[in-house]
Amino acid sequence: MDKISLTPGSVTLDQLRSVWTGAPIELAEQGWAALDVASESVARIVGSGRTIYGVNTGFGLLAQTRIADDRLEELQKNLILSHSCGLGDPLDRRIVRLIIILKAIGLARGHSGVRRLIVERLLALMEADALPIIPAQGSVGASGDLAPLAHLGAALVGEGRIEFGGEILPATDALARLGLGPLTLGPKEGLALINGTQASTAIALDALFKGERVFASAIVAGALSIEAVKGTDIAFDPRIHELRGQPGQIAVATALRGLLGDSEIKASHADCGKVQDPYSFRCQPQVMGASLDLLRHAARTLQIEANGVTDNPLIFPVEDEALSGGNFHAQPVAFAADMLSMALCEVGSISERRTAVLVDPKMSGLPPFLVRESGLNSGFMIAQVTAAALVSENKIMAFPSSVDSIPTSANQEDHVSMATTGARKAGTIARNAAGVVGVELLAAVQGTDFHAPLKTSARLQRAVDEVRAHVPHYAADRYFADDLSWAQQAVLDGLLSQEIEQELRA
């Protein structure tokens, strides 16, 4: 596989999706040149004897403490060790890959002052698939994602743990297997590694990329549910949506029309006189379209953040200046993560309502709970309950983290974003929504089975055939958990939705 060349400052979401799925990367030459220029600037600043925060001072409330030049290496390592305070389960490997790449991109913008050796070592770990163990909890998303990024930095200096070759090893052992030794950090390098929004941004990007697949799968599931209840597509007429003008709504209506286009099932009831379906069917463009607009807005914010320089202080090599600001405050990421949570919560909510209609014979005209001999068989009764449970769990988690704040560091850091917490729960909401949509997919395919020999559209039939290749028709009660698990993972893997995903990104 060819390496993807990443140019710091202009990395695309498509490139980050490729990183997320394991593609090899390389840094464009201009990034290496920018690193050299900035690190030379830091050397000149240190040589001048000036007092610069984070270069030759303490940190946070201790910023007024000047550190002697002969202890600057010790200062930077102590910073990494003292801040490696994360708790909880390790972050997913895909997230760690993103964190490493985002950190490399930010450093290689040339305003952090680290040597190229730091980025070389980060990319060496990536290339070897030797990924630091980074606990998920411990960041409030304000003075950078300090604890998670400290665990990344700890691996470089031979502390903490690294997953390599299927084993979790002490960092020194993993580095030795790679023929590497622990790094000795230069002025500002420890601070540059732990300061920044790369952890919260990576976790939010993971939620976004999962969410895109969940969203597109929900469009497929929604179209199949329309087929199962022999619903009308009048509500998707483009004239309706053009009058309102909301771009997401227009895109979803277009996608649904495209999926239903050549359906035999649709043609079979063209003259039935049915004019309206329940809102969860009829209002898919309005509800899903609004969610799509939020997903797109969050995506734009996260792409900008992924390319940003978010540590502190920032180095301006032309002037040899180090300016202290607050780019480490992750409020944009916090808002984006909360948007993802709200959007995906609604995707699951409307999906579950369609499943509820499908299992109700009064609403759907289908056998009760989508199974013959209902009573003897319970069919999809509890699958719908599972979907309802996941939806209610998501409602609780969808409360925005970004409205919370708690002071830290002896009130020096007195307002925080809670971006990392928001991003983590957005990922959980995405996974729960995938389970909800997976239940609907199985229910909708089951519903269309009852209309045989009529077939759905060619595009939807491909989804039906993929489901049926793994999950047989529900003829009588059976152990169902494995089928639901397959459907949830199929949604998360984008197995049924790649075409719609591409259309919605266009």
Side-chain angles (χ1 to χ4, degrees), residues 53 76 81-83 140 144 148 152 162 188 196 213 228 252 279 309 317 326 333 353 363 382 387 435 446 452 466 489:
Y53 171 73
Q76 297 300 315
L81 297 178
S82 66
H83 285 54
V140 294
L152 172 64
I162 293 175
K188 195 181 177 295
R213 292 176 173 183
V252 170
Y279 286 2
V309 184
V333 181
R353 287 293 81 203
M363 298 288 289
I382 305 304
Q446 180 80 1
E466 185 66 43
Q489 195 59 49

Side-chain angles (χ1 to χ4, degrees), residues 21 130 144 193 207 216 222 247 272 310 363 368 471 481:
T21 55
L193 282 167
C272 69
T310 56
M363 298 288 289
V471 179

Side-chain angles (χ1 to χ4, degrees), residues 121-443:
R121 186 60 55 88
L122 287 170
L123 297 184
L125 292 180
M126 271 277 292
E127 187 167 354
D129 199 30
L131 302 181
I133 298 297
I134 301 178
Q137 294 172 294
S139 174
V140 294
S143 189
D145 295 312
L146 296 174
L149 293 177
H151 284 275
L152 172 64
L156 299 183
V157 300
E159 300 285 349
R161 293 172 295 157
I162 293 175
E163 184 177 355
F164 178 54
E167 300 179 74
I168 295 177
L169 303 168
T172 49
D173 294 350
L175 293 174
R177 290 192 187 186
L178 294 170
L180 303 171
L183 288 180
T184 299
L185 299 176
K188 195 181 177 295
E189 289 180 340
L191 184 59
L193 282 167
I194 73 168
N195 220 299
T197 63
Q198 287 81 23
S200 52
T201 303
I203 298 168
L205 283 168
D206 176 73
L208 170 67
F209 298 156
K210 289 175 184 172
E212 290 172 337
R213 292 176 173 183
V214 172
F215 184 91
S217 298
I219 297 294
V220 174
L224 281 167
S225 290
I226 291 167
E227 292 283 76
V229 300
K230 292 189 173 180
T232 176
D233 64 348
I234 291 172
F236 311 139
D237 188 300
R239 293 170 293 181
I240 296 172
H241 306 287
E242 287 165 4
L243 280 176
R244 194 177 202 183
Q246 295 288 354
Q249 178 177 328
I250 292 168
V252 170
T254 300
L256 289 169
R257 289 196 305 274
L259 286 171
L260 294 166
D262 58 345
S263 164
E264 293 177 5
I265 296 173
K266 185 181 77 168
S268 73
H269 61 93
D271 299 321
C272 69
K274 189 176 188 179
V275 294
Q276 287 191 346
D277 293 310
Y279 286 2
S280 57
F281 292 77
R282 190 196 335 164
C283 297
Q284 288 185 72
Q286 289 80 5
V287 175
M288 294 290 285
S291 295
L292 178 59
D293 287 335
L294 282 184
L295 291 175
R296 286 171 168 175
H297 183 84
R300 286 192 294 273
T301 296
L302 294 176
Q303 181 177 359
I304 292 168
E305 193 73 7
N307 283 283
V309 184
T310 56
D311 66 304
N312 188 62
L314 297 178
I315 306 301
F316 293 87
V318 173
E319 302 88 356
D320 279 348
E321 281 193 78
L323 302 182
S324 284
N327 281 1
F328 49 66
H329 200 295
Q331 200 70 45
V333 181
F335 284 142
D338 285 340
M339 287 180 194
L340 292 174
S341 291
M342 289 187 287
L344 295 173
C345 185
E346 283 302 287
V347 170
S349 178
I350 196 170
S351 171
E352 182 276 330
R353 287 293 81 203
R354 290 191 296 268
T355 299
V357 170
L358 291 173
V359 301
D360 183 347
K362 302 185 298 297
M363 298 288 289
S364 68
L366 297 167
F369 300 106
L370 300 172
V371 67
R372 302 290 187 191
E373 295 189 275
S374 53
L376 175 64
N377 295 302
S378 295
F380 278 71
M381 179 187 295
I382 305 304
Q384 185 268 326
V385 172
T386 296
L390 291 173
V391 165
S392 285
E393 186 175 306
N394 277 356
K395 290 175 187 175
I396 294 168
M397 287 190 293
F399 185 86
S401 292
S402 57
V403 301
D404 185 28
S405 181
I406 187 167
T408 62
S409 194
N411 280 308
Q412 176 76 1
E413 298 154 9
D414 60 346
H415 183 277
V416 302
S417 72
M418 303 308 297
T420 313
T421 301
R424 285 174 49 232
K425 67 184 182 65
T428 302
I429 287 172
R431 183 167 187 83
N432 284 350
V436 176
V437 172
V439 170
E440 185 192 1
L441 278 167
L442 297 188

Side-chain angles (χ1 to χ4, degrees), residues 463-484:
V464 171
D465 293 343
E466 185 66 43
V467 170
R468 284 289 171 253
H470 296 88
V471 179
H473 177 79
Y474 199 115
D477 283 345
R478 63 174 189 260
Y479 186 79
F480 205 23
D482 291 345
D483 294 335
L484 298 183

